[in-house]
Amino acid sequence: MADLSRVPSSLIAASGLVGGYGVARWTEKRPLGGAVLAVAGAAAAQQWRQRAGGKAAGALTAAYVAAFAGSHPLAKKVGAWPAVFGVAGAVALASWAVADRQG
């Protein structure tokens, strides 16, 4: 497996949300998009735990899952891609503030 320790967790998390949606949409296979979302989320969570501790990792993981869930109703108001980019940006900002900024 690739060493992602040098990649900011904020980038991994945002890429998981955007990439998961993109894969699901373009392949028309939602489980494949879910796999991308899950793998990136797990990689980000590992970094969050290492960089900011267990409580912060738990909170950021909850934010990641909430962003995924929240993008669905938001998409009905603003469109799919704007919703995905919006929640990905919010998670990236939170991840940077809590875990990446210190590095």
Side-chain angles (χ1 to χ4, degrees), residues 27-75:
T27 65
E28 298 181 1
K29 295 184 185 334
R30 291 178 70 163
L32 191 55
V36 171
L37 179 80
V39 168
Q46 181 179 11
Q47 284 193 9
W48 294 330
R49 191 172 26 265
Q50 290 171 349
R51 295 177 182 174
K55 286 184 181 181
L60 288 168
T61 299
Y64 185 79
V65 172
F68 167 69
S71 68
H72 292 83
L74 182 60

Side-chain angles (χ1 to χ4, degrees), residues 70-103:
S71 68
H72 292 83
L74 182 60
K76 292 179 182 181
K77 296 181 186 285
V78 301
W81 280 113
V84 170
F85 285 128
V87 300
V91 169
L93 181 61
S95 180
W96 175 82
V98 173
D100 294 339
R101 179 175 53 166
Q102 302 158 0

